[in-house]
Amino acid sequence: MPSLTLRKVLGTAAAALLSSVVVPLAAASDVGAAPSSDDVTITQDDNTNGCNGVRTTPGSENTTKVLVGGTLVPGGTAIFEISFPFDPTKLTGQDTFKMTDCVFIAGDAFAKYFITGVPNGTSPFIFQITLDIPEDADLGANYCNYVKTTENPTAPQESNRKAGPACFRIGGDIRVVKVAEGDGSLTPLAGATFDVSCVTPTGGETVPPVVITGLSGQTSFSNGAYVASGVSATGEIAIAGPIDTECTVTETVPPPGYDLPADPTQVLTIGRNQVTGTFVDPLSRNDTSIVTSATSGTVGDAVTDTATLSGATVDASGTITFSVYDNSECGGDPVFTDTVDVDGNGDYTSAPFTPDAPGHYFWIATYSGDDQNKPSTGSCRDEGETSVLTAPPTHATSASSSHSTTNSSVPSTPEPSHSVASTGAGPVNDELGWALALIVLGGAAAAAGRQTYRRLH
C-alpha cells in the first residue's frame, strides 16, 4: 500500500497543505496494481474559485468521504478517506481522472487542490488524503473537506461524482485537555493515560464514524462503542463524531509527579458547538502516616493522646484533630475533641481530657494534609489508642471501741484470758460442758480455761 507525499511550500503560514494521498485497492477480488508515485500528482490552485461548486448539497452526495484520523488540533493533521466506484472502461476518451479538493474553515473556502491520476485497477478505489491544519486555526472552528471527481458536470456518471463533506471542529467536537492544578494558562500537560468510550445515538457503527485522536492507542469499535486507550502525548484528546454521541472519558494514570483529580471520569456529549472537558491534576503529595499513644489512669485523672506524624515534608502544615469516643465502635458524636497545628514531622499531644466515669475511651487522630502532603488517619481501637479509666480505691474506716463507765460500787469482773465457747449444754462448770470444750478447743486451751474459771469462782 504505497503512499505519495507531495509537499508544496505555500506563500502564507496559515494556508492548509494537502500533504499526502494514499491510493490502495479496497477489494481483494479486484486485483490490480495500485498507482505509483508517478501516477498521481497534486497541484494547488492559486485561488479558491469554483469551490462552492465542489460543495455538495443535500442529496447530491454519491461518493463516500469520511474523517478517519489525524490529530485534529491546530498545527496537526486531518486524514480523510474517499471511497467511490471507478470503472475505467466506462470513461470514454479518458485515460486519467481528475479530482478537485476544496478545504473550508468556518464556512469559507481556504484552499483548492487538483489530484490527477491514472486509473489502473477496477472499482472501488479508496483515497486517503491528509491535510495539515494551520497553526493559527481557531479552536472550535468547523473544518470541512469536499471533493468531486471531475470539473465537467456533463462527464459520464462514472467520473462525475461528489464526495463529502467530511467535517470536524478544530480541536475536536469534544476537546479533552489535561492541565496542572494552579496553571492559569491551561497549558496542556502531557503524559496522562486515558480510557475513552463513545456510544453513538444509533448504538452501533455509523458513518461518519467516531474518531478519537491524541492517544497512543487507535480507535476501534467494540461491544457497541467506539473505544480508545493510551497515553496522551500532547495533553489533548480530540473526538469527532455524530451529534448526540455520548463519550465517557476516564483518566486512569496521572502524569509523573501528579495525582489523579478527585473525579477522574467525565461524561461528555457531542453537540452543535465544541464541548471541552478539562482534567485538572494536583501535584503529587507525600504519603503520610500517623501513630498514636494514649495514656490511662483513674477517674479524676486527665488523659492525653500523642500522635507521631511521619512521611510528611519538613515544612508540612495542616492540623491534627484528636477525637475521643465512649464506645468501641466510635459511633455518634465524640465526647471530646481537640485540634493542634502541624509544623513538620514529629510528636503532637492533645489537650488533657478528664473522664467522669470509669471505662474504656477510644481515641482517633486525623492529619488534615496540605498541598504537599496527603492526609492520614487512625482507626477506632488502633493499638495504643485506648485510655482505660479505673474507679478510685475505697478506704475502710476502723471503728473505735467504746469504753463503758462502770458503777464504782460494783466491782468489775475481769474477762477471762481465754473465752470458752458456749456449748449450749449448760454452765461452763458443768462437766459435760467442759468435755465439749475439750473437744472444741483442744486439751491445753480447755484446761487453762477451766483453771481460770475456778479461780474467779
Side-chain angles (χ1 to χ4, degrees):
M1 188 180 294
S3 64
L4 170 65
T5 300
L6 301 177
R7 291 190 174 273
K8 181 175 182 179
V9 178
L10 304 179
T12 60
L17 174 64
L18 189 155
S19 59
S20 67
V21 176
V22 180
V23 194
L25 285 172
S29 59
D30 297 328
V31 178
S36 67
S37 298
D38 296 333
D39 293 329
V40 179
T41 59
I42 301 173
T43 58
Q44 184 179 11
D45 201 353
D46 57 4
N47 58 58
T48 57
N49 295 340
C51 274
N52 284 331
V54 176
R55 296 179 68 167
T56 56
T57 56
S60 69
E61 300 93 339
N62 51 26
T63 296
T64 302
K65 182 175 186 182
V66 294
L67 173 73
V68 294
T71 60
L72 313 184
V73 297
T77 60
I79 302 173
F80 300 107
E81 188 175 87
I82 308 167
S83 175
F84 61 94
F86 204 125
D87 186 350
T89 63
K90 296 182 180 179
L91 298 179
T92 306
Q94 294 181 241
D95 56 2
T96 62
F97 63 89
K98 187 174 185 179
M99 299 172 62
T100 302
D101 184 280
C102 286
V103 179
F104 289 77
I105 297 180
D108 297 325
F110 191 79
K112 178 182 178 183
Y113 302 93
F114 298 115
I115 305 168
T116 304
V118 178
N120 58 354
T122 57
S123 63
F125 275 91
I126 297 177
F127 284 75
Q128 249 186 31
I129 300 177
T130 299
L131 289 169
D132 290 341
I133 301 171
E135 290 276 1
D136 61 352
D138 293 331
L139 288 170
N142 212 38
Y143 189 124
C144 289
N145 186 227
Y146 297 82
V147 170
K148 74 172 187 177
T149 56
T150 180
E151 293 182 287
N152 182 2
T154 62
Q157 179 65 21
E158 287 295 323
S159 62
N160 183 17
R161 293 186 175 275
K162 287 185 177 182
C167 301
F168 70 99
R169 291 182 181 86
I170 295 174
D173 297 321
I174 293 176
R175 179 173 178 257
V176 177
V177 187
K178 157 95 307 180
V179 299
E181 187 175 67
D183 180 8
S185 67
L186 300 181
T187 302
L189 177 66
T193 302
F194 288 89
D195 288 340
V196 180
S197 176
C198 298
V199 180
T200 64
T202 63
E205 290 185 274
T206 184
V207 175
V210 176
V211 177
I212 306 168
T213 65
L215 295 176
S216 55
Q218 299 298 312
T219 302
S220 62
F221 187 79
S222 176
N223 297 322
Y226 287 90
V227 296
S229 299
V231 176
S232 174
T234 64
E236 293 181 273
I237 303 171
I239 304 173
I243 288 178
D244 294 332
T245 296
E246 184 179 272
C247 296
T248 300
V249 184
T250 301
E251 183 181 356
T252 57
V253 181
Y258 291 85
D259 291 331
L260 287 172
D263 186 357
T265 298
Q266 295 186 35
V267 179
L268 307 164
T269 302
I270 295 176
R272 298 189 180 278
N273 297 303
Q274 187 175 61
V275 177
T276 300
T278 303
F279 287 75
V280 181
D281 282 6
L283 284 168
S284 287
R285 296 185 291 172
N286 284 16
D287 290 319
T288 65
S289 62
I290 195 166
V291 177
T292 52
S293 177
T295 63
S296 295
T298 300
V299 172
D301 293 341
V303 292
T304 59
D305 191 19
T306 298
T308 302
L309 178 66
S310 60
T313 57
V314 293
D315 59 347
S317 59
T319 59
I320 293 177
T321 298
F322 297 90
S323 301
V324 181
Y325 297 85
D326 60 1
N327 62 88
S328 61
E329 300 302 320
C330 296
D333 295 331
V335 296
F336 174 80
T337 59
D338 182 48
T339 299
V340 298
D341 293 329
V342 166
D343 183 14
N345 295 308
D347 294 341
Y348 298 89
T349 300
S350 70
F353 164 57
T354 305
D356 57 6
H360 290 70
Y361 293 84
F362 304 90
W363 296 77
I364 296 178
T366 301
Y367 171 52
S368 66
D370 61 16
D371 290 342
Q372 301 179 79
N373 302 284
K374 295 179 182 178
S376 54
T377 184
S379 299
C380 193
R381 302 188 306 279
D382 274 350
E383 184 178 356
E385 276 292 70
T386 303
S387 290
V388 180
L389 275 297
T390 58
T394 58
H395 300 286
T397 58
S398 324
S400 59
S401 49
S402 59
H403 298 279
S404 57
T405 303
T406 58
N407 191 324
S408 59
S409 61
V410 179
S412 59
T413 304
E415 292 292 327
S417 59
H418 296 279
S419 60
V420 180
S422 171
T423 62
V428 292
N429 61 343
D430 183 88
E431 293 300 322
L432 178 59
W434 288 118
L436 290 174
L438 180 64
I439 295 172
V440 173
L441 299 176
R450 187 171 188 180
Q451 289 298 324
T452 300
Y453 180 84
R454 285 178 175 171
R455 282 199 305 271
L456 296 176
H457 291 83

